[in-house]
Amino acid sequence: MHSAAGQFSDHSLSGHLIVLCGWQSNFLFTWTANFWPGLRAPLALARLAGALLVATQWRASPPVLRRLLIFAAVWYLLHELPPMKPYPEGARHMTVMAAVFAVFAAYAAEWLVERLPARSRSFALIAMIAAIAIVPAFFSYRLVQSAPDDTQLVVRRIGATLAEPVIWAKPATTEPSRELARPIEEIEQWPGFIVLNELFAEHYLEALTLRGQQRIMRERTKSYEALMKRPSLRVTSTAGSVALRNVPHRIVALGGDPAALAAAAERFADEPDIKLDVVPGQTAAGSGDP
């Protein structure tokens, strides 16, 4: 690989994270970034309904559900309050909540069924549980089936066909602090292409609007901001994404010919569950299509 690739690690700085305290996202980051896209609407809303039933009928609710609700609230706030978000990626810490969600969703379904005529309760309960479970089950199936064509793997296949060197700003195996450690003016002069994880880029751009960010993080955010405006090939998944699976990526033209990205989009147009979009963007000097 071109020597520029080494500059990402040789000059990386450690210990720098985006500062995103719970109150800066209205205590909803974990919900919007992990729970809602992972659970899907039926299960997420059923879980909320069950939790609200326990909270509003506290004395009448079974003790085990009261304890479970306390645990769920504490566990959520334990990960929502600290400022070290979105890294480390919080989704893996929330897998323990899957059983909790299932219990509260089932409780909400049972509570509703008990208010129906006795002769229809069994059928109604089965129908409700199926309606709650089918969407996340189908989503999980699509996600598993798309594993051989994960966006990151497709980007690597595309990159292997490009004549110029392809540099990854954030390989999946490195720390977030190893990103874009050089000034943007220098990065834009490198030959070839650079691959951006768009999920991280969007988090950085959001961080630029928040207070309390370290200077080094603001500098790297400005680098993301500049690179996101460059000509690029955007790789997304039609099968869906969750956590770090199938997240959008961009292959951004630095010194490489943007026309090569358009050619790659045509060459890989038949990749399963993958959508390729050529983004015209602007050149480093600010010229080009808006």
Side-chain angles (χ1 to χ4, degrees), residues 18-38:
I18 294 173
V19 176
L20 182 60
C21 299
W23 55 88
Q24 290 178 302
S25 60
N26 297 316
F27 300 97
L28 292 175
F29 176 84
T30 302
W31 175 263
T32 57
N34 298 323
F35 290 158
W36 186 262

Side-chain angles (χ1 to χ4, degrees), residues 44-286:
L45 293 176
R47 177 266 175 189
L48 276 182
L52 287 174
L53 283 173
V54 174
T56 56
Q57 302 177 10
W58 187 258
R59 292 185 178 276
S61 298
V64 65
L65 291 183
R66 297 202 298 263
R67 296 189 188 101
L68 197 60
L69 182 58
I70 292 172
F71 164 78
V74 171
W75 190 258
Y76 181 88
L77 290 175
L78 182 67
H79 296 86
E80 185 65 22
L81 283 170
M84 293 171 57
K85 291 189 299 294
Y87 310 114
E89 175 57 42
R92 65 180 183 270
H93 302 300
M94 289 297 160
T95 53
V96 67
M97 297 290 280
V100 177
F101 290 134
V103 169
F104 283 124
Y107 180 69
E110 182 183 22
W111 181 89
L112 186 58
V113 164
E114 287 177 351
R115 280 141 185 83
L116 299 176
R119 63 180 180 275
S120 61
R121 287 179 183 174
S122 296
F123 174 79
L125 182 61
I126 294 173
M128 259 184 242
I129 293 177
I132 291 171
I134 192 169
V135 174
F138 177 72
F139 171 72
S140 298
Y141 173 78
R142 288 289 309 278
L143 201 60
V144 170
Q145 289 295 104
S146 71
D149 302 295
D150 182 276
T151 51
Q152 186 172 189
L153 298 178
V154 172
V155 169
R156 293 191 182 278
R157 292 202 284 267
I158 294 174
T161 69
L162 297 174
E164 306 291 346
V166 178
I167 302 162
W168 284 70
K170 172 85 173 71
T173 55
T174 64
E175 296 296 325
S177 59
R178 296 184 184 273
E179 302 168 275
L180 306 180
R182 286 292 200 176
I184 183 59
E185 294 81 8
E186 183 175 333
I187 294 173
E188 288 185 318
Q189 300 305 312
W190 289 346
F193 304 88
I194 184 170
V195 178
L196 302 181
N197 182 319
E198 196 169 290
L199 174 65
F200 294 137
E202 289 175 351
H203 285 323
Y204 271 86
L205 293 177
E206 179 185 6
L208 197 61
T209 67
L210 303 174
R211 300 177 59 185
Q213 307 302 320
Q214 299 179 59
R215 179 185 58 81
I216 185 65
M217 301 310 296
R218 292 192 175 276
E219 290 176 355
R220 293 182 185 178
T221 298
K222 291 178 180 178
S223 295
Y224 271 118
E225 188 175 39
L227 292 172
M228 290 283 281
K229 295 177 181 178
R230 297 292 304 275
S232 61
L233 177 60
R234 189 168 186 262
V235 182
T236 56
S237 172
T238 58
S241 67
V242 66
L244 301 182
R245 280 280 287 108
N246 271 346
V247 297
H249 284 76
R250 287 198 186 209
I251 307 176
V252 179
L254 295 174
D257 184 4
L261 298 178
E266 294 183 5
R267 190 180 305 120
F268 289 86
D270 294 331
E271 284 282 336
D273 298 319
I274 289 293
K275 182 181 179 183
L276 302 173
D277 295 300
V278 177
V279 182
Q282 300 174 333
T283 64

